[in-house]
Amino acid sequence: DQQVKQNSPSLSVQEGRISILNCDYTNSMFDYFLWYKKYPAEGPTFLISISSIKDKNEDGRFTVFLNKSAKHLSLHIVPSQPGDSAVYFCAARRAGGTSYGKLTFGQGTILTVHP
Amino acid sequence: DADVTQTPRNRITKTGKRIMLECSQTKGHDRMYWYRQDPGLGLRLIYYSFDVKDINKGEISDGYSVSRQAQAKFSLSLESAIPNQTALYFCATSASTDTQYFGPGTRLTVL
């Protein structure tokens, strides 16, 4: 049962344009969401996060939007740069209970930004 | 120096062999995790430890065991490796429930 889903395996964008990566979740107990970026031969690195009490969080070129009613979040990268080409993972943390602190990851989306 | 290190970085082994993957961290975090990454499946949690005396199974713990030797060290063992354990393995650490920090990964191939 995939509780966090990234339905687009890949995305190709022109340099300077907007990249939008999407993530859907099914568990309403998730209270915190994160995006990680992964380059080849490296481990995932934290990019940006959002709490379930917010609907938007912005950090430079990166903005994450959360729609709780739709159980959907998205990562916007504006403007996209070739160095943004990587695999992006969405992750969710469940509030409370014995699962507290554990992250559930999506399948990942490969972003390619063309010069 | 890297905050989270994993050894080895690459390993090729044969079916039935015992394999140990090691993880060390200098971040001073109490929590450590082991994940595996497979194409199309993302990162799946194998085991996690919230402190030295606390070990918990993740979603795919069958065929694996772990040892938390110290706050800074968390090792993953495959007692009898099988081909479907071929994957990229990541160790991660976190402080309480904050962001997790990942090591560079170990690419394991079981023939």
Side-chain angles (χ1 to χ4, degrees):
Chain A
D1 178 27
Q2 191 79 25
Q3 296 187 57
V4 178
K5 294 183 180 181
Q6 295 175 253
N7 291 316
S8 297
S10 63
L11 174 68
S12 183
V13 172
Q14 203 70 28
E15 181 179 7
R17 307 295 288 269
I18 185 172
S19 295
I20 300 176
L21 296 98
N22 294 303
C23 179
D24 297 297
Y25 62 96
T26 57
N27 193 333
S28 58
M29 293 297 291
F30 289 142
D31 71 338
Y32 193 69
F33 303 89
L34 307 90
W35 284 94
Y36 281 81
K37 179 170 71 174
K38 183 185 177 306
Y39 292 118
E42 295 182 11
T45 56
F46 170 72
L47 187 59
I48 192 169
S49 61
I50 187 167
S51 166
S52 59
I53 63 173
K54 295 185 176 182
D55 56 16
K56 177 183 175 181
N57 188 28
E58 191 172 353
D59 183 2
R61 298 186 294 114
F62 303 91
T63 303
V64 56
F65 295 92
L66 176 62
N67 182 332
K68 283 186 293 183
S69 61
K71 293 188 174 68
H72 176 84
L73 63 154
S74 61
L75 174 68
H76 293 210
I77 306 174
V78 182
S80 301
Q81 299 174 354
D84 296 328
S85 297
V87 180
Y88 288 79
F89 290 101
C90 168
R93 184 189 74 184
R94 181 177 171 176
T98 57
S99 297
Y100 195 45
K102 290 165 52 182
L103 296 180
T104 301
F105 285 83
Q107 307 96 311
T109 297
I110 302 171
L111 172 66
T112 304
V113 180
H114 298 283
Chain B
D1 288 341
D3 295 320
V4 184
T5 58
Q6 292 183 234
T7 56
R9 293 294 313 275
N10 290 282
R11 182 70 183 268
I12 300 173
T13 190
K14 294 182 178 180
T15 297
K17 294 291 187 181
R18 184 178 188 273
I19 296 296
M20 179 181 285
L21 309 182
E22 298 186 343
C23 176
S24 295
Q25 54 112 347
T26 58
K27 299 186 78 67
H29 290 165
D30 287 327
R31 299 182 172 210
M32 298 187 74
Y33 311 80
W34 275 104
Y35 293 89
R36 65 178 277 177
Q37 183 191 357
D38 298 276
L41 295 177
L43 292 159
R44 293 183 293 166
L45 184 62
I46 306 172
Y47 270 96
Y48 62 103
S49 169
F50 284 176
D51 65 44
V52 175
K53 297 180 181 180
D54 176 76
I55 302 289
N56 303 281
K57 292 182 177 181
E59 56 184 303
I60 54 164
S61 58
D62 288 348
Y64 302 95
S65 62
V66 290
S67 173
R68 186 79 185 267
Q69 300 95 325
Q71 186 204 36
K73 296 184 182 296
F74 192 36
S75 60
L76 175 72
S77 293
L78 288 68
E79 296 301 325
S80 180
I82 56 177
N84 76 1
Q85 291 178 314
T86 293
L88 198 50
Y89 289 85
F90 290 101
C91 173
T93 74
S94 71
S96 67
T97 59
D98 288 341
T99 304
Q100 292 183 19
Y101 297 86
F102 286 80
T106 294
R107 184 169 295 281
L108 177 66
T109 302
V110 183
L111 302 176

